[in-house]
């Protein structure tokens, strides 16, 4: 286990206790070098020939950032590395639980250098972090709701890493969710948007977990088409507000009917690589 700076000496504090409390500070990376070089998920295989219009992706990402800043959120933008074409998906490289940021252990070789980029930035800016995993775990598979942590058992997050997290956080309820093989991360099929509401593509979640989730949340079901459009992968920014794709009309309609304010932001170019708004943000602080 490695911690960069003792908590008593760190100058920048972080804290997250849910997926939906008021977002105050978040890390992003502009998609300046975004390109599907090697297809590493089903969505990328679908768009490999068409690929990504980088200038359009940059415009859409900036529009997203403008919405965050307008909401009063501090947006920290890391410098994009020309060799790291997946760097826009900052959620995958770490996750914040309580006052600790955990650095992920990336499964795909082409994304492993992103870990060091994050660590260098954390150390330079005096953020405390922990690097405890010897087996793969990615932030897209980790959803936090108070003392409950839902973790996707996927091709990117191993049982060994889930056990490490559980051993390291004995006061939390760490609950694995087994995903279908073609699903990249848990946040592609599940997202907790309030203490009692979650978006779900239930077909891809194991039956035991579905029953457990139904007992805790009102589940808004996502269709096959809108799941492919990353329907569950909205970003909650607090006050029952979410950022969502305009194309996912049914998801947005159901959210509004459930009392949410939905900010529709174009992100169609970025989702070609297999991630949307939640994937593209690493929260450091929620109120």
């Amino acid at each position: 286990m490695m911690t960069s700076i003792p908590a008593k000496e760190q100058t920048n504090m972080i804290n997250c206790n849910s997926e939906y409390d008021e977002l105050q500070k978040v890390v992003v990376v502009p998609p300046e070098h975004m390109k599907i070089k090697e297809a590493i998920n089903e969505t990328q295989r679908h768009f490999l020939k068409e690929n990504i219009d980088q200038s359009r992706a940059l415009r859409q990402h900036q529009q997203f950032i403008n919405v965050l800043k307008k909401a009063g959120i501090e947006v920290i933008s890391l410098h994009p590395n020309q060799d790291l074409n997946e760097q826009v998906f900052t959620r995958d490289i770490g996750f914040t639980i309580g006052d600790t940021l955990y650095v992920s252990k990336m499964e795909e070789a082409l994304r492993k250098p992103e870990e060091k980029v994050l660590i260098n930035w954390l150390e330079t800016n005096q953020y405390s972090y922990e690097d405890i995993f010897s087996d793969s775990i990615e932030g897209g598979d980790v959803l936090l709701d108070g003392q409950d942590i839902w973790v996707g058992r996927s091709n990117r997050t191993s049982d060994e890493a889930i056990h490490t997290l559980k051993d390291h956080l004995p006061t939390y309820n760490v609950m694995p969710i087994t995903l279908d093989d073609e699903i990249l991360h848990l946040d592609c099929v599940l997202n907790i948007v309030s203490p009692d509401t979650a978006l779900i593509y239930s077909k891809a979640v194991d039956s035991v977990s579905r029953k457990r989730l139904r007992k805790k949340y009102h589940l808004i079901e996502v269709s096959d088409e809108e799941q492919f459009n990353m329907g569950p992968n909205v970003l909650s920014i607090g006050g029952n507000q979410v950022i969502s794709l305009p194309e996912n009309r049914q998801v947005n309609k159901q959210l509004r009917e459930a009392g949410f304010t939905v900010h529709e932001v174009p992100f169609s170019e970025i989702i070609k690589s297999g991630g949307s708004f939640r994937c593209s943000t690493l929260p450091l602080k929620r109120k």
Side-chain angles (χ1 to χ4, degrees):
M1 180 178 71
M2 176 175 64
T3 303
S4 63
I5 303 167
K8 65 181 180 180
E9 295 178 16
Q10 71 181 53
T11 58
N12 284 307
M13 302 300 292
I14 62 174
N15 190 267
C16 288
N17 294 299
S18 77
E19 301 293 329
Y20 49 78
D21 290 327
E22 181 184 331
L23 185 59
Q24 295 184 319
K25 186 183 296 188
V26 67
V27 175
V28 303
V29 176
E32 189 171 319
H33 307 292
M34 192 175 186
K35 184 179 181 181
I36 305 173
K37 295 180 180 178
E38 173 189 342
I40 59 174
N41 60 59
E42 289 298 321
T43 306
Q44 288 185 358
R45 279 186 275 276
H46 180 84
F47 288 109
L48 181 59
K49 186 175 180 180
E50 178 181 339
N51 224 289
I52 294 165
D53 183 330
Q54 289 181 357
S55 61
R56 188 180 184 195
L58 278 166
R59 288 195 302 272
Q60 291 181 343
H61 192 266
Q62 186 58 55
Q63 187 172 347
F64 172 48
I65 298 309
N66 291 343
V67 172
L68 295 178
K69 288 182 176 179
K70 187 176 180 180
I73 299 163
E74 180 183 351
V75 179
I76 299 164
S77 184
L78 304 190
H79 183 70
N81 185 310
Q82 63 180 359
D83 298 320
L84 303 177
N85 56 293
E86 294 291 303
Q87 204 177 5
V88 67
F89 299 130
T90 53
R91 177 78 64 148
D92 295 337
I93 58 173
F95 48 93
T96 306
I97 297 176
D99 59 1
T100 302
L101 188 143
Y102 294 89
V103 177
S104 299
K105 185 67 67 176
M106 305 302 289
E107 171 65 21
E108 294 290 337
L110 65 85
R111 298 205 64 187
K112 289 182 184 295
E114 294 179 43
E115 299 168 26
K116 187 61 177 174
V117 172
L118 177 61
I119 288 172
N120 287 343
W121 179 83
L122 291 166
E123 292 182 347
T124 299
N125 291 278
Q126 295 187 297
Y127 283 94
S128 181
Y129 70 90
E130 293 200 17
D131 185 6
I132 63 172
F133 300 103
S134 56
D135 295 278
S136 64
I137 184 170
E138 301 187 1
D141 276 322
V142 181
L143 272 65
L144 176 64
D145 188 7
Q147 292 303 116
D148 293 335
I149 305 173
W150 306 88
V151 187
R153 182 187 284 120
S154 70
N155 294 323
R156 301 296 182 86
T157 295
S158 67
D159 284 328
E160 291 80 3
I162 296 172
H163 289 310
T164 298
L165 187 64
K166 188 177 293 188
D167 290 343
H168 194 72
L169 297 171
T171 63
Y172 285 80
N173 305 312
V174 179
M175 295 171 284
I177 296 178
T178 302
L179 305 176
D180 286 354
D181 284 343
E182 68 272 15
I183 300 300
L184 178 61
H185 289 130
L186 180 60
D187 64 7
C188 296
V189 296
L190 179 69
N191 202 341
I192 304 163
V193 293
S194 79
D196 58 9
T197 307
L199 295 170
I200 191 169
Y201 179 65
S202 59
K203 292 181 181 180
V205 174
D206 72 89
S207 60
V208 172
S209 296
R210 282 200 303 270
K211 291 176 182 176
R212 184 179 288 173
L213 288 163
R214 284 195 184 105
K215 289 181 179 179
K216 185 171 175 61
Y217 304 106
H218 163 61
L219 297 179
I220 296 175
E221 293 283 347
V222 178
S223 68
D224 294 354
E225 179 183 0
E226 294 195 342
Q227 190 280 324
F228 184 76
N229 267 348
M230 301 301 296
N233 203 261
V234 301
L235 178 67
S236 296
I237 61 173
N240 276 5
Q241 299 181 76
V242 298
I243 298 174
S244 180
L245 280 167
E247 291 88 345
N248 292 328
R249 294 183 179 88
Q250 189 59 30
V251 163
N252 296 343
K253 179 175 181 287
Q254 292 181 90
L255 282 168
R256 289 183 174 117
E257 289 173 348
F260 291 85
T261 299
V262 180
H263 303 279
E264 296 186 356
V265 179
F267 224 53
S268 56
E269 210 62 31
I270 289 167
I271 70 167
K272 289 179 180 179
S273 203
S276 191
F277 300 109
R278 185 183 189 274
C279 295
S280 301
T281 49
L282 172 55
L284 297 182
K285 190 175 181 182
R286 289 184 181 270
K287 189 173 180 180

